[in-house]
Amino acid sequence: MSATGGTAAVEARDLRRTFKTKQGSVLRPTRTTVEAVKGVSFEIAPGELFGLLGPNGAGKTTTIKMLITLLIPTSGSATVLGHDVVTDVREVRRRIGYVFGGDRGLYERLSGLDNLRYFSELYGVAPRDQKARIGSLLELVGLTGREGERVEGYSRGMRQRLHIARGLLHDPDVLFLDEPSIGIDPVGARELRATIAGLREQGKTVLLTTHYMFEADELCDRIAVIRAGEIVAEGTPAELKRLVTSGRVLEVETYGVAGEVVDSVRDVAGVRTVAVEDRGPLQVLVVGSEPDTEVTQSVLARMGDTRVGRVSHRDPSLEDAYVELVTGAGA
């Protein structure tokens, strides 16, 4: 089953979602309306790996839940392969898979193979197709040879790859991956990224949320950044880097930098952003500057008595762009 023609695989048009919350005391409760998603619009082309990035509470998961029919939009509309997520719920669910981060959703005392057999029955996979389908998915996610082991003995990365296999059992056209690599060790995360890249090679359309910018940079064809329920930027990773941090990035290693020094550096002409990163025993002052602006000497002059180590320059990363976008720096 595949999308054909010029129809977008996923389309969101001015999606909005509000919630009613109770505040105050038990005797005098007050109701407050919280607008979690405020007019989100984007399109995902068939076969595209699309990233939806944003901080916790920005509206990512709420947006996904509307797209996979778990929440009804307050207003706006959305379609998956041309089917409306409100009026064509059954058709949408037939065509999507959903994988979330974490350990829930698998049966620990069953083997990986038995888990996939069980979910094949649940998803209505024809018995004559199950063996071949499960075999090809085990190969795709790199679990061939380990499928006979109980899931309770799997590493977290292996469990996440089994989650992906489960989400693909009914051969959906569109797969939603909500922070699939959260909490996974570096080796497992690398294997998981290879699995996700393999989905694109199979022609699947993927919507990915992640907090790991290097992961989004490596995997995504295009990215939308959501902040406080609104899309604030959209484009390829390269376009986002050029959009907000066209200049060079200065990094100054220090052995402890005072807050007043950081504030002073922010006042340097041409400086757009200033952040402090902990890297082991060192702190690194990361300074983003305007295009074609040299700020090194001015920044160092503001360091005062701070012990300074290596000073270096590098090209902007997707993380630099993301930080500017979600904090509103440079706006």
Side-chain angles (χ1 to χ4, degrees):
M1 181 188 309
S2 62
T4 59
T7 303
V10 178
E11 183 176 10
R13 282 285 172 263
D14 199 28
L15 273 185
R16 297 175 184 271
R17 176 69 192 193
T18 59
F19 297 94
K20 300 285 188 180
T21 62
K22 285 185 178 180
Q23 295 182 341
S25 66
V26 176
L27 296 177
R28 291 188 175 181
T30 58
R31 288 188 174 274
T32 303
T33 300
V34 177
E35 198 172 10
V37 176
K38 308 172 184 177
V40 163
S41 299
F42 58 82
E43 291 186 12
I44 306 176
E48 187 173 33
L49 207 162
F50 186 86
L52 184 61
L53 308 183
N56 291 332
K60 301 187 303 297
T61 299
T62 300
T63 298
I64 286 181
K65 285 184 175 180
M66 288 189 283
L67 294 175
I68 65 175
T69 75
L70 293 183
L71 283 177
I72 296 176
T74 303
S75 64
S77 64
T79 58
V80 175
L81 299 172
H83 297 281
D84 189 275
V85 299
V86 175
T87 60
D88 294 335
V89 171
R90 179 175 295 182
E91 292 302 318
V92 171
R93 290 182 178 178
R94 285 180 53 199
R95 291 163 169 79
I96 64 172
Y98 176 50
V99 177
F100 48 84
D103 295 330
R104 296 172 299 164
L106 298 171
Y107 290 92
E108 299 272 317
R109 302 192 67 182
L110 295 181
S111 68
L113 179 59
D114 285 339
N115 266 274
L116 294 180
R117 284 172 173 164
Y118 169 75
F119 285 109
S120 291
E121 295 287 343
L122 195 65
Y123 293 164
V125 179
R128 66 180 180 275
D129 299 330
Q130 287 183 15
K131 184 175 180 180
R133 182 67 183 154
I134 290 172
S136 65
L137 288 174
L138 287 169
E139 184 175 355
L140 172 68
V141 301
L143 290 177
T144 302
R146 307 292 299 274
E147 68 272 21
E149 302 173 22
R150 285 186 176 184
V151 170
E152 63 187 359
Y154 279 11
S155 68
R156 192 159 188 176
M158 292 171 65
R159 293 178 189 219
Q160 280 304 96
R161 285 183 278 143
L162 185 62
H163 270 300
I164 291 177
R166 188 198 69 178
L168 291 168
L169 279 167
H170 57 305
D171 196 22
D173 293 296
V174 183
L175 190 64
F176 294 84
L177 303 178
D178 194 4
E179 298 185 30
S181 57
I182 189 168
I184 298 178
D185 65 86
V187 173
R190 176 177 291 183
E191 293 170 346
L192 184 64
R193 290 197 299 275
T195 297
I196 295 171
L199 299 176
R200 177 170 47 193
E201 294 171 5
Q202 286 201 340
K204 300 295 182 185
T205 302
V206 180
L207 189 154
L208 170 72
T209 74
T210 178
H211 283 299
Y212 304 123
M213 293 304 106
F214 66 90
E215 185 172 85
D217 201 356
E218 176 182 332
L219 292 173
C220 295
D221 299 308
R222 286 189 307 121
I223 291 168
V225 179
I226 187 170
R227 181 182 75 201
E230 299 177 292
I231 301 294
V232 293
E234 184 179 336
T236 67
E239 287 169 344
L240 292 186
K241 293 173 195 177
R242 291 195 297 268
L243 179 64
V244 291
T245 16
S246 302
R248 299 281 284 168
V249 176
L250 169 69
E251 291 192 346
V252 181
E253 292 183 351
T254 74
Y255 297 85
V257 57
E260 56 266 26
V261 171
V262 176
D263 292 337
S264 179
V265 170
R266 285 196 176 97
D267 293 334
V268 171
V271 167
R272 291 177 60 113
T273 59
V274 181
V276 179
E277 297 180 1
D278 291 315
R279 299 181 188 174
L282 296 173
Q283 286 186 311
V284 177
L285 192 68
V286 182
V287 181
S289 61
E290 299 283 357
D292 304 318
T293 302
E294 175 52 56
V295 299
T296 305
Q297 294 303 318
S298 298
V299 168
L300 293 177
R302 301 289 181 100
M303 300 300 291
D305 297 330
T306 304
R307 289 180 59 198
V308 173
R310 186 169 62 94
V311 178
S312 60
H313 294 81
R314 61 171 173 79
D315 291 328
S317 68
L318 182 62
E319 183 170 344
D320 296 319
Y322 170 81
V323 168
E324 284 200 31
L325 287 166
V326 299
T327 60

